[in-house]
Amino acid sequence: MSQNNYRKNNSKSEAYVYGNTVRKLSVAMPVTKPQKRDKADDDQEKREQRQHHKEMEKAHKINFLYTVAVVGVLAFIFTVCVQYLELQSAVKSNSAEVSKLELQLSKLTDQNDMTELEANSSIDYDSIINIAINELGMKFPSKNQVFDYASKESEYVETYGKKIPAVK
């Protein structure tokens, strides 16, 4: 009970410390008289200050160069990204143009096939044969005048007085 009283009564002026360690009060440093400095000490201090100043300037230059390099790299990366996006956009537009042209080609091919079919269906081959034989005096070739020829390069053969080898 006396301990509780001690804590209550002295709580304003002192704090009770539990345990075996007591905090030390901070002690002020003793006041010393300034010592007289030598000129050599002043020169040495100035040299050190100049050296420190030069080192700081060098560090600032390095920081500036580093910053310029980082900005340059970022500008380069930004430029590459912009060009990549422009190329990607061009590829998309060209792809759309190719699709449009393929559709147009398909329509023209279908139209060409229909026109060719109409042209071939309007030809009267019997009439052509009749005019060729009766009016122009043409004859069908005999067996010894027809040669079979296999060509890998084209669908027809033109000859100008040359012999064509027969395929057997």
Side-chain angles (χ1 to χ4, degrees):
M1 185 147 167
S2 62
Q3 217 174 27
N4 286 339
N5 287 340
Y6 178 73
R7 259 195 256 162
K8 287 181 184 177
N9 292 338
N10 294 330
S11 63
K12 291 182 182 177
S13 61
E14 295 180 2
Y16 184 79
V17 178
Y18 292 96
N20 62 355
T21 58
V22 177
R23 293 187 185 109
K24 293 182 181 179
L25 296 176
S26 59
V27 179
M29 297 294 290
V31 178
T32 58
K33 292 182 182 179
Q35 297 177 353
K36 291 185 180 180
R37 303 177 95 187
D38 290 341
K39 188 175 180 182
D41 289 341
D42 287 342
D43 290 342
Q44 179 66 22
E45 187 176 322
K46 286 181 182 178
R47 274 189 238 118
E48 288 175 1
Q49 285 178 352
R50 274 188 248 131
Q51 183 67 24
H52 180 69
H53 185 69
K54 286 180 183 178
E55 288 173 0
M56 291 299 289
E57 284 181 4
K58 186 176 181 182
H60 288 310
K61 285 181 185 177
I62 290 173
N63 285 343
F64 177 73
L65 292 175
Y66 177 74
T67 304
V68 168
V70 168
V71 168
V73 168
L74 289 176
F76 175 74
I77 290 172
F78 179 75
T79 303
V80 168
C81 289
V82 167
Q83 288 179 349
Y84 174 74
L85 291 175
E86 286 176 354
L87 285 174
Q88 195 174 24
S89 173
V91 165
K92 276 189 172 183
S93 67
N94 287 344
S95 176
E97 186 68 24
V98 166
S99 296
K100 181 180 172 184
L101 290 173
E102 283 177 345
L103 181 63
Q104 185 179 3
L105 175 66
S106 175
K107 287 180 181 178
L108 289 174
T109 303
D110 290 344
Q111 185 180 4
N112 190 25
D113 290 344
M114 292 298 290
T115 305
E116 184 180 8
L117 185 62
E118 287 176 15
N120 287 339
S121 67
S122 67
I123 298 173
D124 185 12
Y125 291 106
D126 292 333
S127 172
I128 294 172
I129 291 173
N130 187 22
I131 292 172
I133 292 175
N134 294 333
E135 293 179 16
L136 301 174
M138 294 179 80
K139 298 181 194 176
F140 282 104
S142 63
K143 287 242 182 209
N144 60 356
Q145 292 176 323
V146 177
F147 298 102
D148 290 331
Y149 179 74
S151 173
K152 294 180 183 177
E153 294 179 15
S154 64
E155 297 178 3
Y156 63 94
V157 177
E158 292 183 26
T159 60
Y160 301 101
K162 296 180 185 176
K163 286 190 173 183
I164 300 174
V167 177
K168 295 179 184 177

